[in-house]
Amino acid sequence: MLKVSGLNVSYGDVQVLFDVSLEIRVGEFISIVGANAAGKSTLLRAISGLLKKTSGSIEFQGKQLVGRPPYAVVEAGIVHIPEGRHVFPLLSVRENLEVGAYTRRKSRKDLRRSLEELYGLFPQLYHHRDQLAGSLSGGEQQMLAIARGLMSRPTLLTVDEPSLGLAPMLVEKTFQILEHINKENVTVLLSEQNVFNALSMSDRAYVIENGRIVLTGAGKELLTDEHLKKAYLGM
Amino acid sequence: MKPLIDRPGSRPWLKVVPWIVVLALCVLPLIIRNDFYLDALILIFLWGAYAGAWNILAGYAGMMSLGHSAFFGIGAYTSTLLLLRFGLSPWIGMLAGGLFASTIGLILGVICFRLRSHYFALATLAFGEVGYICAVNFRSLTGGSEGLALPIRPDALLFSFAGKLPYVYIGLFLFLAVIAISYAIEHSRLGYYLTAFRENENAARALGVRTGRVRLIAMVLSSFISAVMGTFYAQYVVFIDPSSVMRIQISVQVALFAIVGGIGTTLGPAIGAMIFVPIAMLLRAEMGTSLPGLHMIIYGVILVLVLLYMPQGIGPKLKEKIPFLRSP
Amino acid sequence: QVYGQENMWRVGTILPLTGPLAKNGIKNFDGVKIATDMVNDQGGVLGKKVALVSADAPDPQAAASEANRLITNEKITAIIGTQASTLSMAATVVAEKAKVFYLENEGISGGITSRGFKYTFRTTFDSDMMAYQMIDFAADVIAPKIKKDAGSLRLAIVQEDGGFGTSTGKGLTDRAKARNLNVVATEVYSAKTVDLSGLVMKLKRAKPDIVLAAQYINDSILFHRQAKELKLNTIVIGTTAGQGNPDFVQAFGKDADGVMAGGIPSEISVQRLTAQQKKDADEFVRRYKASHNGEYPNPTSFVGFAGAWILYKFILPKAGSLDPDKLREAALGLDIPRGKGVLNWGVKFAKPGEKNAGQNVYASAGLNQWQNGELKLIFPKEVASAEFKLPR
Amino acid sequence: MDPTLFTQLLISGILLGGIYALASIGLTLIFGVMKIVNFAHGEFFMVAMYLTYWVVHYFHIDPYLATLILVPVVFLIGIVTYYLFIRPTLSSSVLAQIFITVGLSTIIQNVVLLFWSADFRSISLGYATDSLVLGPFPALHIEEAMVSPARLIAFGLAILLSLAFYLFLKLSYTGKIIRATSQDRSAALLMGINTDRIYRLTFAIGIVLVGLAGGLVLPVYSVHPFVGFDFVLIMFVVVVLGGMGSVVGAMVSGLIIGVVEVFSSYWIGQENKQVIYFLVFIAILVVRPSGLFGLKEEEELEHIETID
Amino acid sequence: MTNGEKRPMLEADGISKWFGGNAVLNDLSFAIRPGEVVGLIGPNGAGKTTVFNVISGFYRTRTGSIKFDGTDISRLSPEAICRLGLCRTFQITRPFSNISVTKNVMIGALNREGSVRKAEKKAEEVLEFVRLYDRRNLLGRNLTIADRKRLEIARGLATSPKLFLLDEVMAGLNPAEVQEMIKLVRQIAERGIALFVIEHIMAVIMGLSHRIIVLNHGEKIAEGEPAQIASDKEVIKAYLGEEYLIAQG
Ligand SMILES: Nc1ncnc2c1ncn2[C@@H]1O[C@H](COP(=O)(O)OP(=O)(O)OP(=O)(O)O)[C@@H](O)[C@H]1O
Ligand SMILES: Nc1ncnc2c1ncn2[C@@H]1O[C@H](COP(=O)(O)OP(=O)(O)OP(=O)(O)O)[C@@H](O)[C@H]1O
Ligand SMILES: [Mg+2]
Ligand SMILES: [Mg+2]
């Protein structure tokens, strides 16, 4: 479904990603792991069209995405949930969700149905629906960010460090939700520092180091990989 | 893209370069000997130093004032009134004006302690207007819009000279002094603290920086120097009125020179004045009357282009483009 | 910018051609230009044509700077300027220091000639002359018409707070006091204001018979509009800087009728002029109309013309050179009786040491009134082209 | 105070405030959504006055009609300005942005000076400038009160526009999108919103609003190349006082400034009235930087961002 | 200072903080003794960061008192508190973006050092200690999350604190990086600096702390040694979740 090949990305004069290639099939749950600054976020941002200096090829359902603006990428069906939540602080929870459905704004009825579905998935959000998003707790904001991303019914969801700064209970919850979404036929591409959790959930994973993909394999297999154990699991 | 790396350089021979430039600046007026070009030099020094003063507050402390004409005007009016009313030498009046302006600056700083960014800019803009209106309305003191004419009796003790040369050198001295002060600030505790305040106030406070005090010091210094330049202006042009020393356009212009030159850098304001004062003068002289407004249009276009293509200013751009200039 | 070639009389002009003062600066410059063209078409001065070297001075600092440039780079020794008093104050200092002949043709602040400068001359009247005449007219001509004696006349003074309004307002107040007239309100405001309703209401309460207004165009239009909105009905004597401007009648059409404007005589009254002078005056009007869509000359163009004309026709021929000292001597030696110069004026400059040295003591302001959409000169009697009509 | 006088001053103040509010709505929109301090705003006001003037002058149509006809033209001007000057600066520093608009204002002023001269132009419009006289109302001890139709029209439109805009931003989907974009541009991008289009739209609407204001005040004011400057400071005062981005705030604070101005010019003197409202302005900034009608929550939430 | 060993260096007594109508901290009391490492945990929004903000002077407490080394600091400004030797890091890192890492740290160091030169030397020492020395010339904004966290620590250390408040300095690091950070924190503690640590990673907080305080809805729901806390019913319900219990076996 998604085919990245020979991707190079730079910030200014500094190249961050080197010749990255990966492939994702429909319905998969894929993780990207790697040290800090390895380029995980950069990869996700490049896919979502946020970065300018990008070369190589990103093909999604046969369409070339490199060089297209972010909104075109969203329209193609890829939604990115950025690191740090980025909810609209002065819009209510409900309004946040409505804005999330931007690409499908034409149909009111559709919008209402998605809204109800997501409220079902995230009862807390329903509870806080008229509260300003900026006043939600960190965990709730993370829920909202994910829910908002789902409003446009993406075929591929890319998520950047959703567990960052969440209390243990919420971390669990977040992973459960991602798993659930994946079961509902949304392909998930996840970047996580919580390597153990991420790998144990994933169908496959890519390991990225200094901007290059160095390892790939099934999630559970990688958990037992010696190099990985040393470098990322601290074991 | 700003340079990724901020490296303290080490090319000792570069240290002589500034001194050569200073020497050249000292000799230059003796070679020029043309009043028009000397006038241009004086205005460059005047605006360069004044922009440097603005930069101490806006560049280092990040508090963009759009009311700096008030301090300039206070300097001009204080020394002039002391001279006209009490025969006090403007040399002393200059200090008095500086002190008065810094007191006002201090008060303004205390009042506006909460304001940042746009809000500070707009509050100071209003403050500048209040200054202008006061100068217009306190007619019995300031002569209102009719302005004040200074006597022209050449007398060094009274800061009054027949030729332009003395003004050039006084201007040069002030110009270099402001650069030196900026340099000193930048490399002192104060400079570090100002930078910290500008970059992130709360982080600075958490590290023990007394941001309130640091900000006020910048305010006081900046307004003092601005007032000194006001006195210099008054003594040079020997006529002041609210529209020539208190106008909003003056605040805007001084900020502009600093910004196009490179805000927050030692030499930026000086570079801005060195480039834009002559451009403005030349444009006015060359096409001032061919078609009314044409020279201002061209000036505006140059300004916009510079800001579009070098938003960080000409100075930093030069530094980036010419490796030789990097790391003095 | 130079109009002309080598071997010409090179005369400088400093006027605000951009910025907020541009309106009158440009109009003044038009007058100077026409005077120059005319004199050149008549064969120049002493056989040599005149070249104008002009400079734009939107603010005092620019005025000083440009004076500097003209003197140093363009080697100019005679300058005509400056339209606004504050610009003049800054530019004349430079000229004086450089010992360059400076002819002020419109700035009316008393300060220009009270500094004892040796090289600064003013062809036009000063603010006091204008203000005195406005007051005198109110007391001597209008009062009887509205069946009041001068003592019971209720006057109000309205002045903008720029140099123009301030100096004129001072003159108005002084004269009223000297004549023991009753000033019921004095209101000062900024010409940049966009609302004068408070001021109008205050005037309305003060119930003046006559309002004397020292205003510019924009604010005079605003003032009259709001006076009309709030139904303040009173006689207004403004000035040619404001109410006397063609833009004023543009704004009000027939409603302008009856409004008066002191200052520059709006017409060249021809009765007393010689045949040649009449011809020149007509020629000026003709040329102005030709280049301005048939408009009658703006008052400020008149003084621009007059200043240049005095230099070309009286001072320069006598001096025979552009040497400032010669020009100065020639100027000081002039004594052209009232009505025989231009604009009904004579020319005689106050000598050094006298009060207002350099002031043309034979210059005089006039009073004009809008009548049927035209600005008619109604005072002084000797030069008037129309009778004063009491506004409805 | 004498009720007649009081009523008249109040009416004058409110009508003046209507003009201020009308002129400021566009500025507050641009300010609020794009965080751009547009120093050239007064110049767009001026250009709109000129355009209306010329249309009236050459085609002899009613200025109000002319103003409406001009909306697409002004919209286009907004779009072109956006592409030439605003879009390239979106990621620049606040300073560069401000001074580009300063440069823009210099350019516009002088281009207008060059082409249309420094003459002061005005139209006379009998029906709109002959005041309506209300009263007397003996019961209230009011003898009479004058209302200028031209100002009344401007005032009415100010109220209408600000209400309509408030509702548009609050309730419509596009309004939500605009607000979302103003709060977090990159998040908006990730929602599939073409933020460039939103900015373009916002800027052009802002210019149209100030354009409408310019056209509507033509019967009251004369136009010249520097008229924008007379208004722009007041616009800033109104916008900041009302809370950046709040159209209703602009409306209310416009009225406050208008009334304060008229009363203070009556009592304290015309020459000092500006001092009064600038001081009021500084005081309010100091006490409540988010403005009178900036959301209180907004202030607090901003706080969260600055201190964890 | 045998006596001082036992006397708390920080004593918060009945502090509370309200936003609008909501109490975020409610009558909270605790103490920290010299040389101690105390953990602060609780669900998101429990008020942990608010505690730091109150102690470090960014917020004023409504009631109660906060004593540091015997002085009441509840009315002091953050800068004054820092000068007394109580420093904090920020959960959302705040590097001075446009200046070098060294200069970032120098600003902290200038607090104690007499001259810019000395401050630079101290900054370099500290940078070496936190293992950022090889990035010293990078601009603040070009650091990665992990390095920013180190920078936060380095700047704080440069002010020579006696008590150091660390707000989630390990969030966003992968397990290996977390291990390194733990090592660094231990080293800091070994220098005799008391630490007050907020962290969501249980393994970390359990391993580091001598004592843990648990916050929920602005109130202290538990306090004690790590083992005690891990098995506290209420803590599990409010914070850890049942899964944690299962995972622990
Ligand atoms: N906006 C930017 N400008 C310049 N460099 C950047 C920018 N964002 C990231 N980088 C650099 O790109 C490299 C990769 O960063 P990236 O954020 O992709 O890493 P990551 O793997 O997501 O790390 P983390 O786990 O910290 O999120 C780093 O060296 C970082 O410093
Ligand atoms: N400035 C503020 N204005 C209003 N509410 C605030 C403010 N600061 C914090 N709060 C609220 O106070 C509560 C506690 O916030 P705090 O940041 O202390 O939580 P925390 O325990 O640090 O959470 P986390 O683990 O997510 O960092 C939250 O509900 C938060 O929304
Ligand atoms: Mg990342
Ligand atoms: Mg926290």
Side-chain angles (χ1 to χ4, degrees), chain C residues 129 335-339 344-348 359-364:
Chain C
M129 293 167 148
D335 190 348
I336 295 154
R338 288 203 160 91
N344 322 312
W345 301 337
V347 185
K348 181 180 182 185
Q359 170 64 39
N360 178 6
V361 293
Y362 286 172
S364 75

Side-chain angles (χ1 to χ4, degrees), chain A residues 36-37 83 165 167 170 193 231-232, chain E residues 44 144-145 172 174-177 200 239:
Chain A
N36 263 287
E83 192 176 319
L170 289 174
Q193 294 291 8
Y232 304 116
Chain E
N44 293 107
T144 62
I145 296 190
N174 71 34
E177 289 159 341
H200 279 308
Y239 181 58

Side-chain angles (χ1 to χ4, degrees), chain D residues 18-99:
Chain D
I19 289 177
Y20 288 168
L22 186 61
S24 311
I25 295 174
L27 185 64
T28 203
L29 191 69
I30 294 174
F31 227 175
V33 174
M34 307 171 72
K35 310 285 180 289
I36 283 184
V37 184
N38 182 11
F39 269 74
H41 209 70
E43 275 57 54
F44 291 104
F45 183 77
M46 176 264 288
V47 167
M49 282 177 86
Y50 264 110
L51 291 176
T52 313
Y53 174 82
W54 290 120
V55 170
V56 173
H57 186 78
Y58 284 118
F59 302 107
H60 304 286
I61 54 174
D62 190 274
Y64 294 113
L65 191 63
T67 306
L68 289 180
I69 292 174
L70 281 167
V71 164
V73 178
V74 178
F75 188 83
L76 214 69
I77 293 178
I79 300 271
V80 171
T81 311
Y82 174 77
Y83 276 113
L84 286 182
F85 299 97
I86 305 300
R87 198 162 90 131
T89 51
L90 281 177
S91 52
S92 297
S93 67
V94 174
L95 289 172
Q97 282 173 355
I98 288 185
F99 282 86

Side-chain angles (χ1 to χ4, degrees), chain E:
Chain E
M1 286 234 291
T2 43
N3 212 3
E5 285 287 313
K6 285 183 199 112
R7 217 183 38 218
M9 75 189 313
L10 180 78
E11 243 179 320
D13 190 16
I15 57 175
S16 58
K17 175 74 200 164
W18 293 63
F19 286 111
N22 311 324
V24 172
L25 294 183
N26 196 4
D27 195 24
L28 185 67
S29 304
F30 59 86
I32 296 172
R33 284 179 286 277
E36 209 179 6
V37 178
V38 178
L40 180 60
I41 61 175
N44 293 107
K48 304 181 293 298
T49 301
T50 307
V51 170
F52 276 19
N53 279 331
V54 170
I55 301 174
S56 58
F58 281 95
Y59 292 161
R60 291 268 127 92
T61 160
R62 249 202 191 177
T63 56
S65 75
I66 310 168
K67 282 214 181 82
F68 179 66
D69 263 355
T71 28
D72 185 357
I73 57 168
S74 59
R75 291 282 169 270
L76 292 186
S77 64
E79 50 269 34
I81 292 172
C82 173
R83 278 155 188 270
L84 286 176
L86 195 165
C87 193
R88 59 94 51 98
T89 67
F90 289 98
Q91 179 174 0
I92 300 165
T93 57
R94 281 144 205 243
F96 302 124
S97 321
N98 298 309
I99 56 177
S100 68
V101 167
T102 310
K103 286 185 181 168
N104 262 277
V105 181
M106 280 170 71
I107 286 161
L110 278 165
N111 226 328
R112 305 279 172 207
E113 300 300 328
S115 75
V116 173
R117 201 155 303 211
K118 279 189 198 152
E120 189 168 359
K121 244 184 89 207
K122 168 135 181 205
E124 286 176 0
E125 273 169 37
V126 174
L127 284 172
E128 216 144 359
F129 176 68
V130 304
R131 295 182 273 285
L132 259 184
Y133 188 73
D134 50 341
R135 318 255 157 100
R136 66 190 179 284
N137 290 326
L138 283 178
L139 293 184
R141 67 191 147 91
N142 290 323
L143 292 182
T144 62
I145 296 190
D147 288 341
R148 282 175 193 221
K149 302 255 169 186
R150 283 176 197 278
L151 178 58
E152 282 279 332
I153 294 176
R155 283 196 316 205
L157 280 181
T159 68
S160 309
K162 291 182 235 171
L163 171 60
F164 199 8
L165 314 182
L166 300 177
D167 196 350
E168 295 203 32
V169 291
M170 319 222 182
L173 308 190
N174 71 34
E177 289 159 341
V178 167
Q179 292 307 323
E180 262 186 62
M181 193 58 107
I182 291 175
K183 220 164 30 184
L184 180 63
V185 173
R186 284 232 167 85
Q187 280 170 342
I188 295 171
E190 278 160 21
R191 289 186 160 194
I193 298 171
L195 295 174
F196 196 14
V197 185
I198 298 178
E199 208 57 69
H200 279 308
I201 307 174
M202 287 321 290
V204 173
I205 209 83
M206 296 290 167
L208 272 177
S209 323
H210 301 147
R211 192 153 56 85
I212 293 175
I213 297 170
V214 188
L215 225 52
N216 193 15
H217 295 308
E219 290 182 28
K220 188 159 75 179
I221 55 168
E223 177 171 0
E225 295 186 354
Q228 236 173 302
I229 295 297
S231 54
D232 187 302
K233 282 264 151 33
E234 203 169 344
V235 176
I236 289 167
K237 192 163 137 257
Y239 181 58
L240 298 172
E242 305 296 338
E243 286 86 356
Y244 182 80
L245 206 61
I246 298 160
Q248 298 294 299

Side-chain angles (χ1 to χ4, degrees), chain D residues 253-270:
Chain D
S253 70
L255 294 185
I256 291 175
I257 293 288
V259 171
V260 165
E261 178 171 340
V262 170
F263 275 91
S264 66
S265 70
Y266 187 87
W267 274 317
I268 302 158
Q270 187 77 27

Side-chain angles (χ1 to χ4, degrees), chain A residues 10-12 14-17 32-45 51 83 160-161 191-193 208 211, chain B residues 1 4, chain E residues 138 141-148 172-174 177:
Chain A
S10 311
Y11 291 107
V14 187
Q15 189 165 356
V16 173
L17 287 187
I32 301 175
V33 296
N36 263 287
K40 304 181 295 295
S41 304
T42 305
L43 174 60
L44 297 193
R45 285 208 290 261
L51 301 178
E83 192 176 319
D160 200 358
E161 309 218 9
S191 153
E192 229 338 302
Q193 294 291 8
I208 197 167
Chain B
M1 236 0 244
L4 274 172
Chain E
L138 283 178
R141 67 191 147 91
N142 290 323
L143 292 182
T144 62
I145 296 190
D147 288 341
R148 282 175 193 221
L173 308 190
N174 71 34
E177 289 159 341

Side-chain angles (χ1 to χ4, degrees), chain C residues 132-154:
Chain C
Y132 288 10
Q133 204 170 60
M134 287 162 71
I135 293 279
D136 291 348
F137 185 78
D140 302 337
V141 181
I142 303 182
K145 289 254 179 179
I146 55 173
K147 300 188 178 56
K148 281 199 168 184
D149 62 80
S152 64
L153 196 61
R154 297 170 67 85

